[in-house]
Amino acid sequence: MSREAEVRYHADQEISKGFPQLLDKARQAEAIVRDLRAAAADEIELLAAGRAFDVALTEALRAAEAGQRATFGVRSYDDRIARRKAKATPPGALWTAEVDRLRTLREENRMWGIPGVPRPVPATA
């Protein structure tokens, strides 16, 4: 294993420690979006809430990806076969499923959760 892999491994361990807090933040942002939709809020409010949810999901996804890489171990940073083997372990499969779930949720929010607000059309005289 290389020194760079070891440094990245320790950095990923530190980043992944904040995953539970970031996931809670994303859940709170999702609850706000759902409440605004249920209350038939205007598109400007939905746009702001949808973007905040996207930011929270992206932060949680980055922490989950770091946790996934750290769970795979130091060797997996340099060796793709070790990475594939680590994915097949129960902890590796758990992190992989969580990363996939967060990616899907983020893409769904980007496609359907953030409303498109029409741009103002300049008046011609």
Side-chain angles (χ1 to χ4, degrees), residues 48-70:
R51 286 183 178 166
F53 183 39
D54 183 64
V55 168
L57 277 173
T58 301
E59 290 172 355
L61 178 60
R62 287 183 181 151
E65 288 171 339
Q68 180 187 34
R69 288 188 302 267

mmCIF file of all heavy atoms in Angstrom, residues 48-70:
data_model
loop_
_atom_site.group_PDB
_atom_site.id
_atom_site.type_symbol
_atom_site.label_atom_id
_atom_site.label_comp_id
_atom_site.label_asym_id
_atom_site.label_seq_id
_atom_site.Cartn_x
_atom_site.Cartn_y
_atom_site.Cartn_z
ATOM 1 N N ALA A 48 -36.199 27.141 -3.168
ATOM 2 C CA ALA A 48 -35.186 27.313 -2.117
ATOM 3 C C ALA A 48 -35.068 26.054 -1.263
ATOM 4 O O ALA A 48 -33.957 25.607 -0.944
ATOM 5 C CB ALA A 48 -35.533 28.518 -1.253
ATOM 6 N N ALA A 49 -36.210 25.466 -0.900
ATOM 7 C CA ALA A 49 -36.177 24.259 -0.081
ATOM 8 C C ALA A 49 -35.589 23.080 -0.853
ATOM 9 O O ALA A 49 -34.828 22.279 -0.299
ATOM 10 C CB ALA A 49 -37.582 23.917 0.399
ATOM 11 N N GLY A 50 -35.914 22.977 -2.144
ATOM 12 C CA GLY A 50 -35.366 21.900 -2.966
ATOM 13 C C GLY A 50 -33.866 22.005 -3.125
ATOM 14 O O GLY A 50 -33.151 21.008 -3.081
ATOM 15 N N ARG A 51 -33.381 23.221 -3.288
ATOM 16 C CA ARG A 51 -31.926 23.419 -3.400
ATOM 17 C C ARG A 51 -31.221 23.126 -2.079
ATOM 18 O O ARG A 51 -30.128 22.545 -2.064
ATOM 19 C CB ARG A 51 -31.621 24.831 -3.872
ATOM 20 C CG ARG A 51 -31.932 25.019 -5.335
ATOM 21 C CD ARG A 51 -31.555 26.390 -5.812
ATOM 22 N NE ARG A 51 -31.835 26.527 -7.246
ATOM 23 C CZ ARG A 51 -31.850 27.674 -7.875
ATOM 24 N NH1 ARG A 51 -31.602 28.793 -7.231
ATOM 25 N NH2 ARG A 51 -32.109 27.718 -9.167
ATOM 26 N N ALA A 52 -31.839 23.530 -0.966
ATOM 27 C CA ALA A 52 -31.245 23.231 0.347
ATOM 28 C C ALA A 52 -31.206 21.721 0.582
ATOM 29 O O ALA A 52 -30.222 21.197 1.121
ATOM 30 C CB ALA A 52 -32.046 23.921 1.449
ATOM 31 N N PHE A 53 -32.246 21.029 0.157
ATOM 32 C CA PHE A 53 -32.279 19.567 0.273
ATOM 33 C C PHE A 53 -31.188 18.943 -0.583
ATOM 34 O O PHE A 53 -30.520 17.989 -0.164
ATOM 35 C CB PHE A 53 -33.669 19.064 -0.121
ATOM 36 C CG PHE A 53 -33.864 17.576 0.023
ATOM 37 C CD1 PHE A 53 -33.339 16.867 1.080
ATOM 38 C CD2 PHE A 53 -34.614 16.884 -0.918
ATOM 39 C CE1 PHE A 53 -33.536 15.497 1.199
ATOM 40 C CE2 PHE A 53 -34.819 15.517 -0.799
ATOM 41 C CZ PHE A 53 -34.274 14.827 0.261
ATOM 42 N N ASP A 54 -30.967 19.482 -1.780
ATOM 43 C CA ASP A 54 -29.922 18.971 -2.661
ATOM 44 C C ASP A 54 -28.547 19.142 -2.038
ATOM 45 O O ASP A 54 -27.724 18.226 -2.077
ATOM 46 C CB ASP A 54 -29.980 19.683 -4.020
ATOM 47 C CG ASP A 54 -28.957 19.132 -4.989
ATOM 48 O OD1 ASP A 54 -29.072 17.942 -5.355
ATOM 49 O OD2 ASP A 54 -28.030 19.885 -5.369
ATOM 50 N N VAL A 55 -28.295 20.296 -1.436
ATOM 51 C CA VAL A 55 -27.002 20.541 -0.784
ATOM 52 C C VAL A 55 -26.812 19.569 0.378
ATOM 53 O O VAL A 55 -25.729 18.982 0.548
ATOM 54 C CB VAL A 55 -26.902 22.009 -0.316
ATOM 55 C CG1 VAL A 55 -25.715 22.219 0.605
ATOM 56 C CG2 VAL A 55 -26.820 22.941 -1.509
ATOM 57 N N ALA A 56 -27.860 19.383 1.192
ATOM 58 C CA ALA A 56 -27.763 18.476 2.335
ATOM 59 C C ALA A 56 -27.536 17.032 1.876
ATOM 60 O O ALA A 56 -26.734 16.304 2.469
ATOM 61 C CB ALA A 56 -29.029 18.570 3.180
ATOM 62 N N LEU A 57 -28.227 16.633 0.801
ATOM 63 C CA LEU A 57 -28.020 15.278 0.274
ATOM 64 C C LEU A 57 -26.610 15.097 -0.278
ATOM 65 O O LEU A 57 -26.000 14.036 -0.101
ATOM 66 C CB LEU A 57 -29.035 14.984 -0.831
ATOM 67 C CG LEU A 57 -30.402 14.520 -0.398
ATOM 68 C CD1 LEU A 57 -31.333 14.427 -1.598
ATOM 69 C CD2 LEU A 57 -30.318 13.184 0.302
ATOM 70 N N THR A 58 -26.099 16.108 -0.947
ATOM 71 C CA THR A 58 -24.751 16.014 -1.502
ATOM 72 C C THR A 58 -23.713 15.863 -0.396
ATOM 73 O O THR A 58 -22.789 15.044 -0.495
ATOM 74 C CB THR A 58 -24.446 17.240 -2.373
ATOM 75 O OG1 THR A 58 -25.415 17.303 -3.426
ATOM 76 C CG2 THR A 58 -23.054 17.167 -2.973
ATOM 77 N N GLU A 59 -23.864 16.620 0.688
ATOM 78 C CA GLU A 59 -22.930 16.504 1.813
ATOM 79 C C GLU A 59 -23.016 15.119 2.453
ATOM 80 O O GLU A 59 -21.991 14.502 2.774
ATOM 81 C CB GLU A 59 -23.224 17.589 2.845
ATOM 82 C CG GLU A 59 -22.867 18.982 2.388
ATOM 83 C CD GLU A 59 -23.341 20.058 3.352
ATOM 84 O OE1 GLU A 59 -24.038 19.727 4.340
ATOM 85 O OE2 GLU A 59 -23.012 21.223 3.111
ATOM 86 N N ALA A 60 -24.243 14.621 2.643
ATOM 87 C CA ALA A 60 -24.416 13.284 3.227
ATOM 88 C C ALA A 60 -23.854 12.209 2.297
ATOM 89 O O ALA A 60 -23.241 11.243 2.756
ATOM 90 C CB ALA A 60 -25.899 13.020 3.509
ATOM 91 N N LEU A 61 -24.039 12.392 0.993
ATOM 92 C CA LEU A 61 -23.517 11.430 0.025
ATOM 93 C C LEU A 61 -21.993 11.392 0.050
ATOM 94 O O LEU A 61 -21.391 10.318 0.017
ATOM 95 C CB LEU A 61 -24.017 11.765 -1.380
ATOM 96 C CG LEU A 61 -23.528 10.882 -2.520
ATOM 97 C CD1 LEU A 61 -23.943 9.439 -2.300
ATOM 98 C CD2 LEU A 61 -24.061 11.387 -3.841
ATOM 99 N N ARG A 62 -21.369 12.551 0.130
ATOM 100 C CA ARG A 62 -19.899 12.585 0.199
ATOM 101 C C ARG A 62 -19.386 11.884 1.445
ATOM 102 O O ARG A 62 -18.385 11.153 1.397
ATOM 103 C CB ARG A 62 -19.410 14.026 0.148
ATOM 104 C CG ARG A 62 -19.537 14.624 -1.217
ATOM 105 C CD ARG A 62 -18.988 16.024 -1.282
ATOM 106 N NE ARG A 62 -19.164 16.561 -2.627
ATOM 107 C CZ ARG A 62 -19.316 17.822 -2.908
ATOM 108 N NH1 ARG A 62 -19.305 18.721 -1.938
ATOM 109 N NH2 ARG A 62 -19.467 18.231 -4.149
ATOM 110 N N ALA A 63 -20.059 12.084 2.580
ATOM 111 C CA ALA A 63 -19.646 11.407 3.812
ATOM 112 C C ALA A 63 -19.875 9.902 3.701
ATOM 113 O O ALA A 63 -19.058 9.103 4.177
ATOM 114 C CB ALA A 63 -20.403 11.979 5.002
ATOM 115 N N ALA A 64 -20.976 9.499 3.065
ATOM 116 C CA ALA A 64 -21.246 8.064 2.888
ATOM 117 C C ALA A 64 -20.217 7.421 1.971
ATOM 118 O O ALA A 64 -19.767 6.295 2.220
ATOM 119 C CB ALA A 64 -22.652 7.859 2.332
ATOM 120 N N GLU A 65 -19.843 8.121 0.913
ATOM 121 C CA GLU A 65 -18.814 7.588 0.017
ATOM 122 C C GLU A 65 -17.481 7.455 0.741
ATOM 123 O O GLU A 65 -16.754 6.478 0.535
ATOM 124 C CB GLU A 65 -18.669 8.476 -1.211
ATOM 125 C CG GLU A 65 -19.838 8.377 -2.166
ATOM 126 C CD GLU A 65 -19.800 9.409 -3.268
ATOM 127 O OE1 GLU A 65 -19.110 10.451 -3.114
ATOM 128 O OE2 GLU A 65 -20.464 9.191 -4.291
ATOM 129 N N ALA A 66 -17.172 8.420 1.602
ATOM 130 C CA ALA A 66 -15.939 8.331 2.382
ATOM 131 C C ALA A 66 -16.007 7.148 3.345
ATOM 132 O O ALA A 66 -15.024 6.411 3.507
ATOM 133 C CB ALA A 66 -15.702 9.636 3.149
ATOM 134 N N GLY A 67 -17.153 6.949 3.971
ATOM 135 C CA GLY A 67 -17.324 5.804 4.865
ATOM 136 C C GLY A 67 -17.206 4.491 4.126
ATOM 137 O O GLY A 67 -16.638 3.523 4.639
ATOM 138 N N GLN A 68 -17.740 4.465 2.917
ATOM 139 C CA GLN A 68 -17.650 3.263 2.093
ATOM 140 C C GLN A 68 -16.191 2.945 1.785
ATOM 141 O O GLN A 68 -15.741 1.809 1.966
ATOM 142 C CB GLN A 68 -18.433 3.461 0.802
ATOM 143 C CG GLN A 68 -18.410 2.285 -0.135
ATOM 144 C CD GLN A 68 -19.057 2.601 -1.472
ATOM 145 O OE1 GLN A 68 -18.965 3.719 -1.963
ATOM 146 N NE2 GLN A 68 -19.722 1.616 -2.038
ATOM 147 N N ARG A 69 -15.446 3.951 1.328
ATOM 148 C CA ARG A 69 -14.030 3.717 0.994
ATOM 149 C C ARG A 69 -13.236 3.305 2.226
ATOM 150 O O ARG A 69 -12.381 2.409 2.159
ATOM 151 C CB ARG A 69 -13.421 4.974 0.377
ATOM 152 C CG ARG A 69 -13.890 5.259 -1.022
ATOM 153 C CD ARG A 69 -13.117 6.401 -1.646
ATOM 154 N NE ARG A 69 -13.197 7.640 -0.888
ATOM 155 C CZ ARG A 69 -14.090 8.617 -1.094
ATOM 156 N NH1 ARG A 69 -14.991 8.487 -2.052
ATOM 157 N NH2 ARG A 69 -14.065 9.706 -0.366
ATOM 158 N N ALA A 70 -13.511 3.936 3.378
ATOM 159 C CA ALA A 70 -12.786 3.592 4.601
ATOM 160 C C ALA A 70 -13.116 2.173 5.049
ATOM 161 O O ALA A 70 -12.251 1.452 5.547
ATOM 162 C CB ALA A 70 -13.112 4.594 5.700
#
